[in-house]
Amino acid sequence: MIYLKYSNVLFEKVKEHGIKQQEIQNYENDFVKIHSVINQKINNEQLMLGWAKLPFINFEVDKILKMLLEVKNKFDTLLVLGIGGSALGNIALQTSLRDKFWNSLTKKQRNGYLKLYVFDNIDPDSLKSLLKHIDLKKTLINVISKAGDTAETLSTFFILYNLLVKKVGKTKAKKHIIITTGPKTGFLRELVNKGYSQYDFTIPENVGGRFSVLSPVGLVSAALTGINIKKLLLGAKNMAEYCLVGKNVTPQDMKKNPAFMFALINYIFYQRGKHICVMMPYSDKLYGFADWFRQLWAESLGKEKDNNGNIVNVGPTPVKSLGVTDQHSQLQLYREGPNDKIIVFLSVERFTCEIKIPKFLEQHYLCGHTLNELFKAEEKSTIASLTHAKRPNISIVLSQISEETVGKLIYMLELAVAYAGELFNIDAFNQPGVVLGKNYTYALLGRKGYEKYLEELK
Ligand code: PA5
């Protein structure tokens, strides 16, 4: 189960920094309209809302599971090369649903599943270090890029491919390569067509990078590390159904829809000058989601123009923070600094284990409690102290961390972005700023066809 607690944004709790119930209710008719617009957009295959249907169609899932049977015993490690939406979801799934020190476990402890490294930067020092940890003879390389041309991803792929060929030869190298890319164009698609990879997976045209975690982008590495991807998708589907995606809604459905309420609360506070959205999981396992959400929220909602072409330079700034660690680093600012934030807690009701703090030689108040109790007490205190200081905060509560709840969380936040896009009246599914950065890089490195960007840079 997963639910949204938002009483700490209300006027009753945080006074003049809160929202009155009536103010929320005023959006009920907008909710009905926006929900219907989203439904129409989802049904239009030309628009970028293909992610919304992924849990219903289990896209390429059987193909992934077939590959899993073939490679599980042949390889020891999976190396993912990708960046942004082609990496952050993989990391979030891995950190939330696998052991924190997964790669240090023995093959037996991993039930034969593969170790996973996600390499999402081009820092030469990190690459040098990575190479000390992987044996290319036993490594599968999954290169992921929707565009198929992203400079960071291709450059590391060329380096790794070159090393692989030196180790195993050109013919065998192919057996180590999985390419996940867009359906038609791009350099990686050409490589697929030329037979460079043993396995290839498609990112549907209408699924954008940061919305692609439930496509083969995120599912391949999840499956190869033993995550039950069918359950993950089922969780997402349950959330879609709970939010009545594809169905008509009434005004009364608004408050029951966690994705819309999340979007609306963030939108209202943005209008009031609270431009920062801090996501603070009280769980190490969910910290990867704060990172994934940071991209999803920032790239989707940070826009120069609205849907009418007006310059609006709009967009909340997502920030990540970790409980309890950042209580000793950020909380002072959140409680006493500028009241310009909304804090989103990611909370877990049941951990996978309970650890008791044992008796010590001296008497101490901590002894006899559990780490779980301490963790929960600190979370409660943080929420209480922020609320007391009139700092609006909401909690997304997961009963436990499982494939189902993680699937629900992903879908809820993706859908929230779609609703928020409508509230802000912007296109949440493009990323012109990112594309321009890519084009400048291509121009600087002499790629043909990008000369005009070089002129702009000069
Ligand atoms: O959400 C997006 O579209 C971007 O952040 C991309 O994920 C990122 O730029 C990587 O792009 P690609 O997968 O095409 O290499």
Side-chain angles (χ1 to χ4, degrees), residues 7 16 19 52 93 95 101 103 122 201 283 302 317 356 379 397:
S7 55
E16 70 277 16
I19 312 176
L93 290 179
T95 49
F101 304 105
N103 287 349
I122 44 174
F201 295 94
S283 153
T317 301
K356 199 165 178 178
E379 183 184 342
V397 185

Side-chain angles (χ1 to χ4, degrees), residues 154-173:
L154 287 191
S155 57
T156 48
F157 175 63
F158 294 156
I159 295 165
L160 264 304
Y161 185 78
N162 186 276
L163 294 171
L164 185 65
V165 170
K166 279 190 189 143
K167 268 265 154 70
V168 302
K170 200 175 161 202
T171 324
K172 277 197 183 158

Side-chain angles (χ1 to χ4, degrees), residues 195-248:
Y196 272 83
S197 56
Q198 182 76 12
Y199 301 100
D200 65 271
F201 295 94
T202 303
I203 310 168
E205 200 72 82
N206 61 1
V207 175
R210 56 192 176 277
F211 292 88
S212 65
V213 57
L214 298 178
S215 79
V217 170
L219 298 183
V220 167
S221 62
L224 293 189
T225 54
I227 292 171
N228 188 328
I229 58 174
K230 285 196 170 166
K231 283 192 181 165
L232 187 70
L233 288 161
L234 184 64
K237 184 167 169 256
N238 288 341
M239 178 55 76
E241 287 168 351
Y242 187 77
C243 294
L244 301 172
V245 169
K247 304 249 162 58
N248 290 332

Side-chain angles (χ1 to χ4, degrees), residues 358-405:
K359 277 198 184 135
F360 193 62
L361 295 177
E362 309 292 330
Q363 255 202 342
H364 197 279
Y365 73 92
L366 285 171
C367 302
H369 288 290
T370 62
L371 276 188
N372 310 51
E373 283 168 349
L374 179 60
F375 210 11
K376 278 283 148 211
E378 298 211 29
E379 183 184 342
K380 268 191 193 163
S381 323
T382 303
I383 292 175
S385 75
L386 287 173
T387 310
H388 191 243
K390 301 182 186 167
R391 311 287 155 147
N393 60 87
I394 55 182
S395 297
I396 301 173
V397 185
L398 280 71
S399 52
Q400 60 189 356
I401 298 175
S402 66
E403 278 92 345
E404 279 100 332
T405 54

